[in-house]
Amino acid sequence: MKKSTLLPLLMIAMAACNHRSNSLANDNSNNTGHSATQLTGTYQGTLPCADCPGMDYQVSLYDDHTFSELVAYQGRGQDIATVASGTWQQTSDSTVMLKKKTDSSSFLASEGKLLLLDPNGKRIEGVLASNFELKAIAVGDRRPMLAEKAKAGIRFTANGNQPGWRLDLDHKMIYFHATNGDSLQVALPAPQPNTDTLKVYTTPDITISIRNIMCSDDISGLMRPNTVQVQVKDKNYQGCGEYIGQ
């Protein structure tokens, strides 16, 4: 899996764009406090990809100026999701720069969206402009919840809907509960198979399959790095999950 790098795909996609130089300074010349636009939140969309149908992309901007990023390339590498983090900086009233160890990228906040800017910090124009938009979704900061689970020794967590269910794994136990009444706590076996992309935990009471494939919650829309299937007796549960502390 290639590293998530937004700037190279911009350089390729912009060759087909009829972009013009729109100075962000003109848009914000009367704002000096860098506070008029709310930037924190979670944004997602499908960005152009040079050698695949598209790049599913999600970024969460936190109020401590850190961010988390999830990327999955469609039709390449079995849609394996990668997660990264870094810091963000507000560079003008409505623009933000994301900084990672290997690269950086800039966005313009506009009407509840983030618009990916070109390497010169300019807004992309033309027929492909809408391909660089990320839309906000209504989810809060999940870090306190994940921190509580980590404190309790949980190393993987998942949940799903219809019916609602949740799953937690620590180093020794499986904890599963569903709103339809299915609930159990059993010892955690060794996974078999156990690969980088698939782990299956099997007991007489429950079978859990964890795939390293991007999963989108069917209610909130939140993207998470793992697709999870749980079988309890004759019932199957589908949902999304993530490892904690990785």
Side-chain angles (χ1 to χ4, degrees), residues 229-245:
Q229 181 178 27
V230 179
Q231 183 175 356
V232 180
K233 298 179 182 178
D234 60 343
K235 300 185 182 71
N236 288 300
Y237 301 89
Q238 306 282 343
C240 306
E242 64 205 290
Y243 289 92
I244 301 175

